[in-house]
Amino acid sequence: MKKDNFFKINKICCIGAGYVGGPTMAVIAKMCRDLEITIVDLDKNKIDLWNSEKLDELPVFEPGLCEIINECRGKNLSFSTNIKEAIESSQMIFIAVNTPTKESGIGAGEASDLGYVESCARDISLYAKDNTIVIEKSTIPVKTADIINKILNCSSSDRKFHILSNPEFLSEGSAIQDLLKPNRVLIGGDNEKAVDGLANIYNRWIDNKKIIKTNVWSAELSKLTSNAFLAQRISSINTISAICEKTGANINEVSKSIGLDKRIGKYFLQHGPGFGGSCFKKDILNLIYISKFYGLPEVAEYWEKVLDINNWQKKRISRIVVNNLFGTLKNKKIAILGFAFKAETNDTRESSAIDICKDLLEEGAYLSIYDPKVDFEKISQELLPNENLINDNMNILSAKTIAMAVDDADAVIILTEWDEFKDICWNDFSEIMRKPSWLFDCRDVIQLNSIDKGKINLWKCGYSI
Ligand code: UDX
Ligand code: ADP
């Protein structure tokens, strides 16, 4: 039997160079200059971009990230498509691949597609030369560690694999700060040495008290539960936004008042067009799936309601736009400001803008979309996934500036809270819009007193105006 040597970790590999793998490894590389870290991905295009001299073209936009890449790349951080070589030489391997919701087969629409995770486990099983710590970093359903374990530990070789769950709590847009100063780091595992091997890395910059060691299933379930609770708060406040619009209560006054109760707390009470992002919906769907699987239909229904309300909020906004534009959007130009699922990221996954834009397109509108970080190719892929009409589709236009988007539009809808949307002089912009002009502020970025009612009609989510 080989002797475990988990304390001597000097080479780390991360499979998956996306929104999780990229920033997480960049921060570990920055904080542990003696560790050699390789991030690998199947996608050569993506790896080329990570290796590009043009730091403003990194595949992930995240404040503070390009500075770290500039500092560590070519020193103790590298990006490669050579998965075999990276696995062979590493004592610790992070799995940070995507886990989309299954589109067909058992659990379609609810369960996660673990094909990518399985394929990583098979690569590790094939190439790892020695005892290896394998860490689940992707957002995964409870019991995924079991699958990885079965694949890795089924061969007769005398290598030992220890599987840990180390869920990622970073929030896009503040990922670097979240990684540098996390609320907590969760490490689930049943092998003390392996858990300590990972804890000792984080411990270089994170206080021991913040490193929580649990069993694997608790770590996996905690991740889903954290995200489900956060999403539930957003759905809750969004239901209250609709009540505010009817009653004259002010949504911000209500959020502030309830948030000052320490038992409730002030975070994640911002109303808006519904939550997006790669995690919330998927994690709740996973909770729904396992609840049904374990014969807990009431639990499944409870969490389903959080998603229903999220969809309802998006539909509610589309309906309000159509109703205010006299019930039809045919031949009307609508300017969409913001397509990312929130500010400070170029990620569009599950962005509320997708569903709202699709509704407006169905009503016959043509959309002029402006987002400072999302390119038109991504927008087209989200809105017309089955078409090859990137440039030909006359109903969607990409605007290079806010003014181009707004020019001759009947209405403007603000869907992402980018800073640059906060100081626009709408009284001036209304001059280049069609009359009557409408501004729909779904992100609460417009000051009520900055708008001249005679020039532009304002609708603000959560306000009765
Ligand atoms: C989330 C979790 O916050 C993070 O801990 C986890 O690891 C991954 O999933 P992320 O998806 O990056 O992070 O973004 P988050 O800031 O949570 O926002 C998700 C969505 O909720 C966004 O669309 C955002 O606009 C919306 N949101 C957030 C609100 O509508 N109101 C709020 O008060 C907060
Ligand atoms: P996340 O937000 O979870 O980081 P992303 O989609 O941004 O998700 O990144 C996941 C990355 O994992 C993608 O770049 C994808 O190409 C990569 N990937 C998926 N499966 C594999 C695999 N078997 N080997 C290497 N890379 C993979």
Side-chain angles (χ1 to χ4, degrees):
M1 205 59 160
K2 288 189 181 177
K3 208 172 142 269
D4 284 353
N5 58 351
F6 287 136
F7 296 107
K8 287 191 209 126
I9 290 157
N10 47 43
K11 283 198 177 171
I12 293 180
C13 155
C14 173
I15 311 180
Y19 286 92
V20 171
T24 307
M25 292 304 120
V27 168
I28 296 182
K30 176 181 167 66
M31 304 314 282
C32 309
R33 299 310 291 261
D34 55 317
L35 296 178
E36 209 178 296
I37 300 175
T38 309
I39 310 183
V40 290
D41 204 293
L42 291 171
D43 185 340
K44 184 175 180 310
N45 223 3
K46 203 175 255 188
I47 291 297
D48 287 346
L49 288 172
W50 279 112
N51 282 324
S52 160
E53 284 308 309
K54 294 183 190 155
L55 286 170
D56 57 345
E57 286 181 7
L58 294 180
V60 170
F61 168 72
E62 192 62 64
L65 177 62
C66 67
E67 288 81 353
I68 302 181
I69 299 296
N70 197 27
E71 186 185 329
C72 301
R73 196 178 59 187
K75 294 175 185 133
N76 67 329
L77 179 66
S78 56
F79 297 87
S80 164
T81 50
N82 194 335
I83 298 175
K84 175 175 183 282
E85 195 178 283
I87 292 176
E88 277 174 353
S89 60
S90 300
Q91 301 94 22
M92 182 177 265
I93 299 172
F94 287 84
I95 299 180
V97 297
N98 38 335
T99 48
T101 303
K102 272 182 92 171
E103 284 179 5
S104 57
I106 299 169
E110 283 175 357
S112 276
D113 180 348
L114 290 176
Y116 302 100
V117 171
E118 182 181 334
S119 144
C120 290
R122 291 186 187 281
D123 281 346
I124 296 169
S125 166
L126 197 61
Y127 304 131
K129 286 223 149 82
D130 210 338
N131 297 340
T132 309
I133 300 177
V134 176
I135 301 162
E136 305 172 328
K137 199 79 198 159
S138 310
T139 301
I140 32 93
V142 183
K143 292 283 181 190
T144 302
D146 225 12
I147 299 173
I148 300 176
N149 195 21
K150 278 183 187 141
I151 295 171
L152 291 179
N153 287 317
C154 69
S155 74
S156 55
S157 90
D158 62 355
R159 299 166 305 173
K160 251 201 235 156
F161 293 99
H162 291 292
I163 292 97
L164 305 181
S165 167
N166 173 218
E168 191 50 77
F169 293 108
L170 65 81
S171 171
E172 287 173 36
S174 58
I176 301 301
Q177 282 312 309
D178 295 344
L179 287 158
L180 287 170
K181 291 183 188 153
N183 291 325
R184 78 298 203 193
V185 169
L186 203 51
I187 304 178
D190 53 16
N191 181 291
E192 210 179 315
K193 273 181 156 184
V195 170
D196 286 346
L198 181 57
N200 288 342
I201 291 177
Y202 286 118
N203 197 219
R204 313 256 197 117
W205 75 98
I206 297 160
D207 194 328
N208 249 333
K209 284 193 215 109
K210 289 191 170 178
I211 302 176
I212 318 281
K213 299 171 185 173
T214 68
N215 76 33
V216 181
W217 322 127
S218 306
E220 290 179 339
L221 185 58
S222 301
K223 166 76 190 230
L224 298 191
T225 310
S226 281
N227 280 345
F229 272 52
L230 292 171
Q232 180 197 48
R233 284 171 71 95
I234 301 169
S235 276
S236 299
I237 202 69
N238 282 341
T239 64
I240 304 302
S241 73
I243 297 181
C244 286
E245 286 161 27
K246 303 280 182 205
T247 58
N250 174 311
I251 186 68
N252 277 328
E253 289 171 359
V254 175
S255 301
K256 190 171 171 199
S257 308
I258 63 170
L260 282 170
D261 184 331
K262 282 208 170 82
R263 293 165 302 177
I264 298 175
K266 64 181 179 182
Y267 298 105
F268 275 71
L269 287 178
Q270 179 61 50
H271 64 288
F275 55 78
S278 68
C279 287
F280 284 178
K281 182 175 164 194
K282 191 174 71 180
D283 287 356
I284 293 176
L285 286 172
N286 270 319
L287 275 186
I288 294 169
Y289 184 71
I290 56 167
S291 304
K292 287 182 184 167
F293 182 83
Y294 288 113
L296 303 165
E298 292 82 0
V299 180
E301 274 170 41
Y302 176 77
W303 288 109
E304 260 162 9
K305 212 65 210 159
V306 174
L307 291 181
D308 289 351
I309 291 292
N310 201 45
N311 289 331
W312 166 82
Q313 180 78 342
K314 291 183 266 191
K315 281 269 175 250
R316 195 170 82 77
I317 289 170
S318 310
R319 261 198 308 269
I320 286 169
V321 172
V322 176
N323 288 342
N324 279 304
L325 295 185
F326 313 113
T328 177
L329 302 186
K330 285 230 163 60
N331 300 322
K332 289 180 182 163
K333 174 179 171 182
I334 312 281
I336 302 292
L337 298 192
F339 200 81
F341 81 96
K342 65 174 183 178
E344 302 298 337
T345 178
N346 60 344
D347 195 349
T348 58
R349 286 175 292 180
E350 299 296 337
S351 176
S352 299
I354 301 169
D355 286 340
I356 293 173
C357 286
K358 281 184 177 168
D359 284 347
L360 304 179
L361 287 169
E362 254 180 40
E363 293 287 339
Y366 76 96
L367 307 179
S368 185
I369 304 175
Y370 171 82
D371 188 293
K373 291 287 172 196
V374 181
D375 62 36
F376 189 54
E377 200 182 328
K378 224 171 184 182
I379 293 174
S380 310
Q381 280 162 2
E382 293 285 15
L383 294 179
L384 309 160
N386 302 320
E387 295 180 42
N388 253 341
L389 297 176
I390 291 177
N391 295 315
D392 301 339
N393 190 296
M394 296 306 292
N395 291 330
I396 309 171
L397 298 170
S398 164
K400 290 223 159 25
T401 63
I402 298 173
M404 282 165 77
V406 170
D407 188 30
D408 207 29
D410 293 82
V412 177
I413 311 179
I414 300 176
L415 290 177
T416 311
E417 70 284 18
W418 287 105
D419 273 347
E420 62 188 272
F421 301 156
K422 293 179 182 164
D423 303 317
I424 297 171
C425 179
W426 286 106
N427 296 328
D428 290 349
F429 261 120
S430 68
E431 305 287 331
I432 58 168
M433 293 177 68
R434 274 224 305 170
K435 302 281 174 298
S437 325
W438 273 93
L439 174 58
F440 297 92
D441 177 11
C442 304
R443 288 287 190 172
D444 206 357
V445 297
I446 306 291
Q447 296 294 326
L448 270 176
N449 56 12
S450 70
I451 299 288
D452 181 343
K453 277 187 184 167
K455 293 193 165 169
I456 190 161
N457 299 298
L458 177 67
W459 177 84
K460 253 172 98 67
C461 183
Y463 290 76
S464 63
I465 298 173

